Structure formats: C-alpha cells, structure tokens
Amino acid sequence: MSSHADVERRLGELLRTHEEQVISRWTQSADAPRDELTELYRAILRAIEEGGRDLADLRGLLAELSRSRARAGYSPAETSKAVFGLKGALYEIVVAHADDEVLRGFIRFARLIDDLGLFTFEAYAEAREKIIMDQAEQLLELSTPVVKLWEGIVAVPLIGTLDSARTQVVMEKLLETLVETGAEHAVIDITGVPAVDTQVAQHLLKTVFAARLMGAECVISGIRPQIAHTIVTLGIEFGDIVTKSSLADALAHAFRRSGVQVSGGPATRVTVRAEQA
Amino acid sequence: MERVPILKLGDLLIVSIQVDLDDQTVLALKEDLAEVVVARGARGVIIDISAVEIVDSFTGRMLATIAEMCRMLDAHAVVVGMRPAVAITLVELGLSLGGVRTALNLEKGVALLDHVRGAVP
C-alpha cells in the first residue's frame, strides 16, 4: 500500500518527464496560447509537488487567464473546457504507464483540475459582477447633478426612475450644495421622472422637509398632467409645498421669493449681448 | 454636566452649541434660555447647531419646544446651520419641526430675524 506522498511524487515525476508532450496535446485541444498553458502547467505541477495545499498562486494565474479570455470574447464554458482539456491530454500518458499508483494519482489529479475549472467560472462571474456594480455606481453619480440657476437658487433636474438609493444620493447632494453655496431656494425638477408612486412622493417630501430644516425652501417643478392625476388619485398630500408645472414657473417663483426683479413679462424674450469694449 | 453658553448681541441672544448634546444639557439649556430671555428682554434667539453632528428624537423635539417657548416669551427663535446629515436624521425620525424657523447660517439667521421683526413690529 503506497501513501499519498508516494502517489503525488509519482504523478509529479510523470508530469515532469512528459511535460512537452502533454502541453502539445493540451494546446491542440484547448485553443489557447502555448506559453500561457505552459505557465499554468508549471504552476499546477508545483502545486502537486507541494502536496496541493497552497493553491493561491495557481488561483491567481487562473483568475488572470479567465479575465484575459473573457476580454478576448471566449465564453466561461470555453475557458473552463480549456482547463478540463488537460485531463484528456494527460490520460494518454497515464494509459501508457498504467499501474496502480499512477491511476490513483490520475484520479486525484482529475479532481484538482475539476476544482480549477470551476474556479475559472467563478472568477468570470466575479469579474462580471464587479463591472455591473461599478457601472451602477457610475450611473448613480452621473444622474444627479445639482446646478446653480442664479445666485441663491439651485436646481436638481431628476431624470429616470427614482428609487430609495437614488433619492438618498439626490437628497444628500442637494443638502450639501445648499450648505456650500448658501442657496436659500432649490428647485426639484421631475420632468424626466416617468412615474411617481407613493414611495417616490414620500422621498420627495422628505427631501423638501430636510431642506426646510436647514433653512432653504424647495419648489417641485415639472409635474406633468398624468403625474398630477396619479398624485391626486393616490391621495398624496403635498401640503404647503409649492409645486409648479414647469421649471420656468418655479424659477419665476424663486425670483419673487428672493426679491430678484425680472423686467418685462414672461412673454419677453431675454437677449444677452456682450458689452462692447 | 456641560452648560451651553448664551451670548447677548444687541437685543438678540446667540446660543452656539459646540458640545455633543445629551438630554441633561438640552434640558439645562432650555431652562437657562428661558431665564435669560426674560432677564434681558431679548426679542430674538439664534440657536447655532452647525457643530452638532448627532441628534436623537429627544433633542429634535426639545429644539421645537425651545422655539415654542421663546415665542411665548415674545422672542423669535431661529435654528441655524443644521448639517445635512442631521436634517436627514430628523426627517427620518418623523420630526419636521413645524413651527421652527430655520436658516442656513448665522448671517442668514440674523437677516431673517430682522426681516421678521420688520414685518411684525
């Protein structure tokens, strides 16, 4: 009866002696660059000779392989199949040298390769997950600008569906801007919000109340007819919060409140000319 | 227990809270403030909470109580400099401090008081 160590030594010897041959066959079946596979093969060989305990290096290498192949447009199934290909490549050598120890070694080896193949799949999924999360974060940052309309008047044009996470970001950003700029009037424009339900309305109300607590007045603008209809049907009370149908009306309201005079009526077209030197 | 200083500026009182508010401190402030308002005949009180980072529901309610109390004593109260995080917390706690006047900073608080007193002589 031979020990695990013997089996591993024997397997290691076999892999080392026939390295060239196995790698050639593996390269044929796996459709991957030879030098990459050689590197991987040597890492596997090292791991086996060390008793298969420390797989950190090997995993790093596999994660790198998984990423580079994902970038090159391979599916995760193809990548893991390429790793599994090593079993087939080694099998022929094992058959030629068949004895008890080698066969047992091969079973252990196959198990290791299975793990590694599955690991490439995992690494692929992880990389994908990270990309999606990064993009969601970027989207969140992109979608909530706070713009200054006038001295003391800021606006938040909201575009897209509002959920709790986004409203939280909008709320924080708006309040921080109020502190930074000392603006006393804020316009929340919801022209680009496709639908308003009780939750969204709740978030809007919270934002307005928080701004009020800090000493700024909020006007909600851009309420389209359907949305006004929905809000009334849902029975949402906006109370004493000023709502306007368009951003222009909201701006006019803010002007009045802050004492800015605009000469000419709303029909007047304002023209700005550069002063002549 | 720490006491919050109450400063006099003309007929205004300025309360600048620079310490973490615990229940005892707020209660003491309420009592001190009532006495000083009466003693000095102050017409306006500005409570600056720009250094306050944490509030709980008790503190929030006390702010409203203090403002209400000042109104009873014929002084207008303004809470100034509330931080965004504090405002969000209070709203989440369901405290919108209905009757309390607020301003973004001390300067705007003084301007607001002047405006209010100009309108109601």
Side-chain angles (χ1 to χ4, degrees), chain A residues 21-267:
Chain A
Q21 201 182 342
V22 175
I23 291 179
S24 305
R25 286 189 188 280
W26 192 17
T27 316
Q28 275 169 17
S29 70
D31 180 27
R34 191 185 169 99
D35 44 346
E36 240 176 57
L37 292 182
T38 310
E39 199 185 346
L40 191 58
Y41 185 86
R42 296 211 169 118
I44 293 174
L45 185 53
R46 263 200 307 283
I48 288 173
E49 281 173 344
E50 283 162 13
R53 274 176 296 276
D54 181 26
L55 296 179
D57 275 3
L58 193 50
R59 276 168 194 264
L61 211 58
L62 277 171
E64 186 49 47
L65 177 80
S66 176
R67 265 197 294 277
S68 65
R69 283 180 65 96
R71 265 199 297 274
Y74 288 98
S75 75
E78 282 168 324
T79 308
S80 44
K81 231 188 260 170
V83 175
F84 291 144
L86 182 56
K87 282 196 285 186
L90 187 68
Y91 182 69
E92 290 168 26
I93 310 289
V94 170
V95 169
H97 298 78
D99 66 35
D100 216 22
E101 269 179 10
V102 171
L103 279 178
R104 275 203 293 164
F106 183 67
I107 301 281
R108 285 168 65 84
F109 178 76
R111 211 176 292 151
L112 176 72
I113 297 298
D114 287 348
D115 280 349
L116 297 181
L118 288 177
F119 178 76
T120 60
F121 213 103
E122 229 168 63
Y124 177 87
E126 231 166 67
R128 269 296 157 94
E129 202 68 24
K130 195 175 169 313
I131 291 172
I132 292 172
M133 265 165 54
D134 285 353
Q135 281 176 345
E137 211 168 284
Q138 282 167 2
L139 208 61
L140 212 58
E141 281 167 12
L142 270 181
S143 59
T144 51
V146 179
V147 293
K148 180 177 167 184
L149 289 183
W150 204 266
E151 195 57 51
I153 304 173
V154 294
V156 197
L158 292 178
I159 291 166
T161 315
L162 285 179
D163 57 14
S164 315
R166 248 193 95 190
T167 331
Q168 191 74 20
V169 174
V170 172
M171 197 198 259
E172 278 168 20
K173 214 163 171 191
L174 173 61
L175 299 186
E176 270 160 26
T177 314
L178 291 178
V179 175
E180 277 165 26
T181 61
E184 282 182 329
H185 299 275
V187 180
I188 302 175
D189 186 74
I190 58 167
T191 314
V193 180
V196 172
D197 56 13
T198 44
Q199 213 173 355
V200 171
Q202 194 65 32
H203 287 313
L204 286 175
L205 293 181
K206 274 185 188 169
T207 311
V208 175
F209 284 132
R212 245 184 217 180
L213 277 178
M214 291 176 51
E217 244 343 282
C218 277
V219 181
I220 297 177
S221 77
I223 300 179
R224 281 175 282 124
Q226 313 91 293
I227 287 185
H229 189 78
T230 323
I231 289 173
V232 173
T233 315
L234 288 171
I236 299 163
E237 283 285 334
F238 269 56
D240 55 347
I241 296 169
V242 180
T243 53
K244 298 282 178 190
S245 62
S246 73
L247 186 59
D249 291 344
L251 183 61
H253 174 82
F255 276 160
R256 260 200 310 283
R257 291 291 296 266
S258 56
V260 176
Q261 294 273 334
V262 183
S263 56

Side-chain angles (χ1 to χ4, degrees), chain B residues 6-20:
Chain B
I6 299 170
L7 314 171
K8 187 171 175 300
L9 182 77
D11 60 352
L12 296 180
L13 293 178
I14 297 172
V15 183
S16 181
I17 302 174
Q18 304 284 345
V19 294
D20 282 338

Side-chain angles (χ1 to χ4, degrees), chain A residues 168 171-172 175-176 178-179 181-184 205-207 209-216, chain B residues 79-88 90-92 95-97 100 102-105 108:
Chain A
Q168 191 74 20
M171 197 198 259
E172 278 168 20
L175 299 186
E176 270 160 26
L178 291 178
V179 175
T181 61
E184 282 182 329
L205 293 181
K206 274 185 188 169
T207 311
F209 284 132
R212 245 184 217 180
L213 277 178
M214 291 176 51
Chain B
V79 174
V80 304
M82 190 183 290
R83 291 181 176 220
V86 171
I88 293 173
L90 286 178
V91 171
E92 294 291 342
L95 294 166
S96 51
L97 304 189
V100 184
T102 51
L104 284 170
N105 50 42
K108 293 201 165 153

